[in-house]
Amino acid sequence: MPDDVTPSVASAVEGAPRFIVSIVGSGSIGVAFAVHFARAGFAVRMWDALPGAFDRARVDLADRVGMLDRAGMLSEQPEALFARVSFHEILFEALQSADLVQECAPEKLDIKRELFQLIGAFSEPHAVLASSSSAIVSSEFATATHARERVLIAHPGNPPYLLPVIELVPSRFTSEETVHRAEEIYRAAGSRPVRVRSEIEGFLFNRLQGALLREAYCLVRDGVATVDDIDEVVRNGLGRRWAVIGPFETVDLNTRGGIVAHAEKMGPAYERMGASRGQHDPWTTDLVAQVEAERRALLPLDQWDERVRWRDDKLVRIARALQDASHAETENVIESVPSPLSREAP
Ligand SMILES: NC(=O)c1ccc[n+]([C@@H]2O[C@H](COP(=O)([O-])OP(=O)(O)OC[C@H]3O[C@@H](n4cnc5c(N)ncnc54)[C@H](O)[C@@H]3O)[C@@H](O)[C@H]2O)c1
């Protein structure tokens, strides 16, 4: 089975930085990446085009790192982490010695094209040039630089220091070596890279999120549910399971007999639901067989019961953690209300 924990990055923190990362654009994702990479022991060099951006970035960095520290999620003092993050007024300086450039500028094609032209010209010849772009595919701006074989998308979950998945989306110009190097660097940072095999809009993360959102909007529009009803079903239902397993493993474990049994029982109902929204993408026998083969390679059926117990054990831990968090929240609220006994007499 794929390992289900974020790799420990503590060992990388000792000694010289394993990698140097340049962050181009120090807004919300830029800062979040700075936290993520610096926490893994990397040296981080920040740059931004707009004056004043660093003032906000420094405050945000301190805030996020402080939160991780209070949660016991740092393996060193915050000051040691801050010491690895530097701020540069000049792009060329921020790019010096960087093994990875993580572009985090606004989602606008002309900005990305202009930046990649500069990044391609001034970065180290071995550097991976990654864009955090959520929707624009990299072949649209990789052509702005002669270093196009080093350009790819590395789209994070937000924030990357808490959501380890990162989608790597090469374009037709990206070299295999660049993808391997990117995988190596992100893994060393504690990320979980997933390679997307074609330049599809929204990649995987936002396509899956989009499918759910499209249906949610329809249900609200048709008066079937309120906004909070939908959020409740995900918060206390689907989402709890998705914290430990994905949609394919969910249905594989929900039905004895796995994917094939689930597709037989539920396939026609899902087909009708799709048809009611004008969608016709049947789960053909071949497609179900392909999904079944991939799942069986990950989980032979003779380990099915054991895996169901594993899932339930994870859900128990999550339920307990959420319960503790909710108690802590209640206690904080009670603590912040002054006791009548401690109030001074008027
Ligand atoms: N916010 C998210 O949830 C999220 C998640 C994944 C990916 N992304 C992607 O990350 C990228 C950055 O998004 P964000 O939410 O951090 O945006 P943001 O607006 O918070 O930050 C953008 C930063 O870029 C700077 N900037 C403006 N023009 C620039 C230029 N010409 N060159 C360099 N920097 C410039 C701004 O000063 C700002 O600091 C986008 O491509 C976005 O789609 C965002």
Side-chain angles (χ1 to χ4, degrees):
M1 290 308 302
D3 145 27
D4 60 303
V5 289
T6 305
S8 165
V9 292
S11 56
V13 171
E14 290 145 26
R18 183 153 168 216
F19 292 109
I20 299 175
V21 180
S22 168
I23 295 189
V24 172
S26 304
S28 57
I29 284 294
V31 168
F33 263 125
V35 173
H36 181 57
F37 290 129
R39 185 170 162 231
F42 295 9
V44 177
R45 300 162 161 266
M46 313 281 291
W47 178 81
D48 199 282
L50 300 189
F54 289 162
D55 297 341
R56 193 197 50 225
R58 283 193 174 95
V59 171
D60 288 349
L61 183 76
D63 180 67
R64 309 298 185 271
V65 170
M67 185 193 64
L68 293 176
D69 186 39
R70 287 191 297 282
M73 290 176 75
L74 295 185
S75 57
E76 59 187 344
Q77 291 301 312
E79 290 68 28
L81 187 155
F82 295 141
R84 284 193 295 277
V85 182
S86 55
F87 291 84
H88 302 264
E89 298 291 341
I90 299 170
L91 177 60
F92 170 71
E93 280 179 19
L95 296 174
Q96 264 183 355
S97 315
D99 303 293
L100 168 69
V101 179
Q102 185 79 45
E103 174 271 313
C104 303
E107 188 78 9
K108 291 202 176 125
L109 182 57
D110 55 338
I111 293 185
K112 306 249 186 225
R113 281 191 70 86
E114 193 186 327
L115 281 175
F116 273 88
Q117 189 185 10
L118 293 169
I119 293 168
F122 296 114
S123 58
E124 302 293 342
H126 75 281
V128 171
L129 312 181
S131 171
S132 306
S133 164
S134 304
I136 305 172
V137 294
S138 69
S139 53
E140 291 191 42
F141 49 81
T143 47
T145 166
H146 291 301
R148 62 191 66 171
E149 79 285 351
R150 291 193 276 129
V151 175
L152 82 173
I153 301 284
H155 175 248
N158 185 19
Y161 51 84
L162 293 177
L163 300 187
V165 81
I166 187 150
E167 299 182 278
L168 300 186
V169 195
S171 79
R172 61 185 182 283
F173 306 116
T174 317
S175 69
E176 224 15 65
E177 191 194 338
T178 298
V179 182
H180 287 310
R181 183 91 176 128
E183 283 172 343
E184 181 198 2
I185 297 174
Y186 289 111
R187 279 219 178 87
S191 300
R192 303 288 300 239
V194 171
R195 182 174 178 160
V196 182
R197 295 165 192 214
S198 69
E199 285 197 301
I200 188 169
E201 185 178 12
F203 316 132
L204 305 183
F205 199 108
N206 282 328
R207 281 192 99 81
L208 290 170
Q209 183 156 255
L212 189 66
L213 271 174
R214 278 195 301 279
E215 181 62 27
Y217 267 100
C218 290
L219 293 170
V220 169
R221 178 198 62 199
D222 299 343
V224 180
T226 65
V227 167
D228 196 49
D229 291 337
I230 303 275
D231 278 355
E232 181 70 357
V233 168
V234 175
R235 233 179 356 237
N236 283 309
L238 292 166
R240 284 245 190 144
R241 280 196 306 228
W242 288 343
V244 287
I245 51 176
F248 280 125
E249 187 165 10
T250 295
V251 296
D252 199 27
L253 297 184
N254 268 2
T255 320
R256 193 168 280 281
I259 292 289
V260 171
H262 175 266
E264 266 168 24
K265 275 188 201 156
M266 293 299 296
Y270 282 114
E271 173 66 18
R272 285 193 300 278
M273 291 180 225
S276 74
R277 302 286 183 224
Q279 194 179 349
H280 178 59
D281 289 309
W283 303 350
T284 60
T285 311
D286 284 355
L287 184 56
V288 172
Q290 182 191 336
V291 174
E292 165 73 4
E294 288 192 33
R295 279 298 308 154
R296 293 294 67 84
L298 292 164
L299 181 77
L301 270 189
D302 60 1
Q303 292 169 22
W304 187 88
D305 288 286
E306 194 187 326
R307 187 69 176 172
V308 169
R309 274 196 301 280
W310 171 92
R311 176 201 64 193
D312 290 353
D313 178 60
K314 291 277 186 194
L315 290 176
V316 165
R317 288 162 197 263
I318 288 175
R320 261 206 230 124
L322 289 173
Q323 219 170 32
D324 290 350
S326 139
H327 286 157
E329 260 175 43
T330 316
E331 276 162 23
N332 282 346
V333 170
I334 292 170
E335 268 171 28
S336 65
V337 176
S339 153
L341 297 177
S342 66
R343 275 190 210 133
E344 282 177 19

